[in-house]
Amino acid sequence: MAIENVIMMDVVGKIEDVDKFTKDIFLFNDIQIVDAMREIDSGRFILPIQEENINGLLGLSQLISGEAKMGEKNYIKMVNKLNDLYKGSLKLNMNSLAKGETDLDKALEKVAEFERNIVVEYDEITHINTQIEELKKSRTAYSYINEVNARMSELDSLENFSYSIGSVTKDNAARLKSIYNSVTSIVFHVGNQQDNEEVFMIISPKDFEIESHRILKALNYKLIEGFSSDYTETPREILQLIEEKISELQVKCAILFKNLNIHLEESRNDAAASFNTLGLYGNLNIIEKYMAFSEKSFYFSGWISKRDKEKMENIGKKYPDLIMMFFEINSGSGKPPTKLKNNWFFSPFEALVKMYGIPSFDELDPTPFLSITYMFCFGFMFGDIGQGFILSVVGFIMGKKGVELGKVLLRLGLCSVFFGFMYGSVFGFEEIIKPVWIRPFDEINTMLMTAVIIGMMMLLVAYIYSIINKLKKKEIKEGVFGKDGICGLILYSSLLGLLGLNTGIFKQSGLFNLILIGIAILMVVIVLIREPLSNYLFKSKQLYQEEVSEYYVESGFEIFEMLLGMLSNTLSFIRIGAFALTHVGLFMAFQTLAVMVQNGVMSVGILIFANIFIIALEGLIVSIQALRLQFYELFSKYYTGDGIEFKPIDLEINIV
């Protein structure tokens, strides 16, 4: 449950080994490829000056990028065509690729046979579908003037008048109607388009055609597509011809499509084998575009997990004279990507963390803390056995269908069930079972006080996360003396202690009061003077980086903001208790309404609707509120989210 360590791997190998090495990289899969040319240009690709590296060193002066060398291979287009023919159902078989079952020449020969047989039918179907789409455009166009009882050839050959049919937005249509008297044309409203535009037929004297065109251009008048000089009959006759032509083409297309499907199924095995081979080489081509090449060598860079270093070294041993170098973080290898490593329970919540930002490589992964607190807050606000069970079932189904947030919903539903037992609530009814803890409406003050105490505990953990993150980043000043550092944690803890002593939570003690007040004042002073204090301790030449008066004015406002933030952040958690009460109160309102109607069937209907409404709407609101607490009250203290996500090879989807 952490951020996994990654290292940069730079490779220099013989040009004749590039395809085999690239295939090994593709099959290894868990590597984020980096543009080797960019790494070399930036000076981060460092090759030791040794005799055995002489060819690689000489090649650095005559490099070309993989993008320029590889270009676009024809077999990538063939893979795309196979993908279209089989509607994406063909997949790369990694097991057969690992066994070396690939023959590029044979695959190219098979695809050429496809070109001669299946693709001819496929292209004809595509051509017919294009014709049908054009005919549908014409059908739409002529339908606007189907009431015109004149041949189109006569309209097209008018000597003194010209006509056009086009559309404008509703706003511009209103403007057009308001200037009818000043338009030197006859304007007919002939219909409406689905995209909220109105269609007009404009007939203009040819002498005023330029003026009419100027006015229509100002109204963003767009001509309707689909009219053709090939149609000379009346609009109604043309529509009949178009319908007949569309029906004829659809029948022809159906026959071709049926034959094509038969041929596709007959050839599926050969197609799958060809797709596998060509897909492999297409992916290798994409990987090699990230490489750099000299006359005798290739250069490759990528991020891998530190635990995979030995595996990569074993791959490198297969190739004589291959140079494989590894660089730790902060050794000039650039900012590393972040690779999250969470167990099956916490990993679905990574999606919520990524909504805020990717963790940086030098900070703690907030996923476990977010997972626990988010589930707890949701369950506390939405405690009900029946409604939680429904959410769990919906989440389980969504998760099985590959929706990652469905797995989150499953866990939230289970927490809701747990708190349902705590509150004794089943589909809103509190008479069925006894509560393990309390009934929210019977103990309102307890609910609200518990919510605030939960918030205090979460904020204390957030301070600890903040301290660790700042110290990991070597931000000693903020980590020790800052408002979210050790001093901030001690100040917040002392204020909580004072609150406990003066509200009866803890036993009253005048001595402890004085001690805590003294600690709080001392922490405020340290936070106020943290810059000169840290500069003095680390023997910096300047105690202040700005004017002394400006620093203390700015720090004074920051202290006020810090104290106000501590109060507002703590009280913000009262919403957890408030929404728990709202959850109960909302069902009680529906329950009262069900009693008032005095009709058994209607009462049952109201109660069913109430549960659906609460699960859908309040469930959404509660999930947003719980997420808001994470982002605004907690993440703002300890999490930056400015990292770069580790993205291993997933190249099959890149062949488009």
Side-chain angles (χ1 to χ4, degrees):
M1 297 182 291
I3 293 174
E4 193 166 345
N5 289 329
V6 295
I7 54 176
M8 170 62 78
M9 178 183 74
D10 291 335
V11 177
V12 182
K14 290 182 177 180
I15 196 77
E16 55 264 29
D17 293 331
V18 65
D19 284 341
K20 291 180 181 178
F21 176 79
T22 307
K23 181 180 177 182
D24 284 334
I25 290 294
F26 174 69
L27 294 174
F28 180 72
N29 192 44
D30 198 18
I31 180 170
Q32 178 171 318
I33 302 172
V34 178
D35 191 325
M37 198 71 180
R38 190 176 66 230
E39 291 294 300
I40 293 168
D41 289 342
S42 66
R44 293 194 291 265
F45 196 115
I46 302 171
L47 191 60
I49 301 175
Q50 297 172 359
E51 184 178 349
E52 58 268 27
N53 298 344
I54 191 67
N55 287 330
L57 289 165
L58 291 173
L60 290 172
S61 62
Q62 49 179 338
L63 290 176
I64 61 171
S65 68
E67 186 75 34
K69 180 178 175 65
M70 302 312 297
E72 187 70 22
K73 301 295 185 182
N74 187 48
Y75 43 76
I76 294 180
K77 295 177 182 177
M78 294 180 180
V79 169
N80 292 332
K81 186 158 282 189
L82 286 172
N83 211 27
D84 287 340
L85 283 168
Y86 285 91
K87 302 187 185 304
S89 64
L90 299 178
K91 300 294 179 184
L92 287 178
N93 187 332
M94 302 300 284
N95 291 329
S96 66
L97 292 177
K99 294 175 183 176
E101 298 172 2
T102 56
D103 187 332
L104 181 58
D105 292 333
K106 183 179 178 181
L108 291 171
E109 185 181 326
K110 286 288 184 185
V111 173
E113 193 175 330
F114 268 71
E115 290 279 348
R116 290 191 296 271
N117 299 327
I118 295 176
V119 176
V120 173
E121 292 176 335
Y122 179 76
D123 289 343
E124 190 172 353
I125 289 172
T126 303
H127 177 65
I128 290 173
N129 284 331
T130 303
Q131 285 182 289
I132 291 173
E133 288 303 313
E134 290 299 321
L135 287 168
K136 286 180 178 179
K137 280 186 184 178
S138 295
R139 180 174 64 186
T140 301
Y142 285 104
S143 67
Y144 292 124
I145 55 172
N146 65 339
E147 298 297 328
V148 176
N149 192 20
R151 294 175 64 84
M152 294 304 298
S153 57
E154 294 174 354
L155 292 175
D156 292 336
S157 60
L158 291 173
E159 292 184 7
N160 299 314
F161 291 89
S162 64
Y163 77 95
S164 67
I165 299 171
S167 65
V168 294
T169 63
K170 285 192 176 294
D171 290 340
N172 284 333
R175 289 175 59 197
L176 177 61
K177 291 171 185 176
S178 68
I179 59 171
Y180 272 167
N181 294 333
S182 59
V183 176
T184 54
S185 304
I186 303 172
V187 181
F188 297 100
H189 182 268
V190 294
N192 297 291
Q193 284 190 322
Q194 290 182 349
D195 54 358
N196 208 30
E197 294 202 349
E198 297 191 25
V199 182
F200 292 89
M201 182 176 186
I202 313 294
I203 301 176
S204 307
K206 289 192 175 179
D207 293 341
F208 299 105
E209 193 172 3
I210 296 175
E211 175 64 16
S212 299
H213 179 71
R214 183 187 63 79
I215 294 172
L216 294 174
K217 185 177 180 181
L219 296 172
N220 196 24
Y221 179 76
K222 294 177 289 187
L223 292 175
I224 298 294
E225 295 180 356
F227 291 101
S228 172
S229 58
D230 294 337
Y231 296 115
T232 59
E233 299 82 356
T234 64
R236 189 164 294 179
E237 291 170 340
I238 291 170
L239 287 170
Q240 188 175 349
L241 289 171
I242 290 172
E243 289 292 349
E244 291 172 357
K245 186 67 175 175
I246 289 175
S247 298
E248 179 186 330
L249 289 173
Q250 285 175 337
V251 170
K252 186 177 180 181
C253 186
I255 295 170
L256 286 170
F257 193 73
K258 183 179 179 181
N259 293 334
L260 176 64
N261 282 334
I262 293 171
H263 293 150
L264 285 173
E265 286 306 312
E266 289 174 348
S267 307
R268 178 174 283 274
N269 291 336
D270 287 340
S274 299
F275 180 87
N276 218 37
T277 301
L278 298 178
L280 168 66
Y281 281 91
N283 282 320
L284 299 190
N285 182 74
I286 293 171
I287 295 174
E288 288 170 8
K289 284 183 178 180
Y290 286 91
M291 295 182 177
F293 294 88
S294 65
E295 185 178 346
K296 295 181 179 180
S297 305
F298 70 87
Y299 302 78
F300 174 84
S301 294
W303 291 101
I304 63 169
S305 296
K306 192 172 183 179
R307 59 182 171 82
D308 290 330
K309 179 180 177 181
E310 187 176 344
K311 294 179 183 177
M312 291 307 306
E313 287 175 334
N314 290 333
I315 290 174
K317 290 175 183 177
K318 294 164 55 178
Y319 305 97
D321 301 323
L322 184 130
I323 304 166
M324 187 173 283
M325 301 166 290
F326 300 94
F327 299 94
E328 298 283 344
I329 293 171
N330 297 328
S331 61
S333 55
K335 184 175 182 177
T338 300
K339 186 176 184 183
L340 298 178
K341 183 177 67 175
N342 287 293
N343 60 32
W344 65 272
F345 187 78
F346 293 141
S347 59
F349 292 92
E350 290 177 4
L352 300 182
V353 173
K354 291 175 183 177
M355 287 170 63
Y356 191 92
I358 304 298
S360 180
F361 72 97
D362 55 359
E363 66 181 340
L364 294 174
D365 178 11
T367 306
F369 182 47
L370 175 138
S371 305
I372 295 168
T373 53
Y374 186 67
M375 287 187 294
F376 186 89
C377 290
F378 183 92
F380 195 94
M381 291 187 278
F382 199 82
D384 188 280
I385 297 170
Q387 294 164 2
F389 176 74
I390 297 296
L391 288 177
S392 299
V393 171
V394 172
F396 178 79
I397 294 170
M398 291 172 64
K400 285 294 183 182
K401 292 184 176 180
V403 181
E404 197 66 19
L405 286 178
K407 298 175 183 177
V408 175
L409 188 60
L410 169 62
R411 288 154 176 76
L412 295 180
L414 293 175
C415 284
S416 179
V417 171
F418 171 78
F419 276 95
F421 280 107
M422 300 296 285
Y423 301 153
S425 176
V426 182
F427 286 115
F429 295 100
E430 296 186 338
E431 303 83 14
I432 298 175
I433 62 171
K434 290 183 178 181
V436 176
W437 181 35
I438 58 171
R439 298 198 188 279
F441 249 67
D442 294 342
E443 300 285 349
I444 293 177
N445 289 336
T446 302
M447 290 294 295
L448 297 179
M449 182 61 70
T450 303
V452 174
I453 292 171
I454 290 168
M456 292 174 182
M457 294 170 62
M458 290 184 187
L459 287 169
L460 288 171
V461 176
Y463 274 107
I464 295 170
Y465 262 76
S466 176
I467 293 166
I468 295 171
N469 283 337
K470 285 177 169 55
L471 294 180
K472 283 186 72 176
K473 294 179 180 181
K474 295 181 171 53
E475 296 176 1
I476 307 300
K477 181 182 75 173
E478 294 300 326
V480 177
F481 307 122
K483 62 186 180 68
D484 295 324
I486 293 174
C487 288
L489 172 60
I490 295 172
L491 173 60
Y492 186 66
S493 301
S494 62
L495 293 175
L496 293 183
L498 285 169
L499 180 67
L501 287 171
N502 291 280
T503 55
I505 297 175
F506 304 136
K507 187 177 179 181
Q508 183 65 256
S509 171
L511 178 61
F512 276 126
N513 257 331
L514 289 174
I515 293 172
L516 290 175
I517 290 171
I519 291 172
I521 293 172
L522 178 62
M523 293 303 107
V524 168
V525 172
I526 291 175
V527 173
L528 180 67
I529 64 169
R530 68 184 182 280
E531 183 173 310
L533 179 61
S534 61
N535 288 337
Y536 174 78
L537 292 175
F538 292 108
K539 296 181 170 53
S540 177
K541 291 182 180 180
Q542 283 186 307
L543 290 180
Y544 298 94
Q545 303 298 321
E546 56 186 318
E547 290 291 331
V548 176
S549 59
E550 289 182 8
Y551 170 78
Y552 282 107
V553 169
E554 185 179 327
S555 294
F557 280 109
E558 191 174 325
I559 292 293
F560 176 74
E561 182 187 1
M562 174 186 69
L563 295 172
L564 189 64
M566 287 178 174
L567 176 63
S568 63
N569 288 344
T570 304
L571 292 180
S572 186
F573 282 89
I574 204 169
R575 76 186 64 225
I576 300 177
F579 273 98
L581 296 171
T582 302
H583 181 75
V584 177
L586 187 59
F587 184 79
M588 287 175 64
F590 278 106
Q591 199 172 18
T592 303
L593 183 63
V595 173
M596 288 173 62
V597 297
Q598 295 183 347
N599 183 299
V601 176
M602 289 184 66
S603 295
V604 171
I606 289 171
L607 294 175
I608 292 173
F609 172 77
N611 274 280
I612 295 172
F613 179 81
I614 290 170
I615 291 170
L617 183 61
E618 196 190 351
L620 176 64
I621 293 172
V622 164
S623 63
I624 292 172
Q625 289 298 324
L627 195 60
R628 182 207 173 280
L629 288 171
Q630 295 292 331
F631 286 178
Y632 290 96
E633 317 305 338
L634 301 176
F635 275 16
S636 60
K637 285 197 173 299
Y638 70 89
Y639 183 54
T640 56
D642 60 351
I644 303 167
E645 186 176 5
F646 181 90
K647 293 181 179 178
I649 300 172
D650 190 12
L651 294 168
E652 185 182 350
I653 61 172
N654 290 329
I655 300 177
V656 294

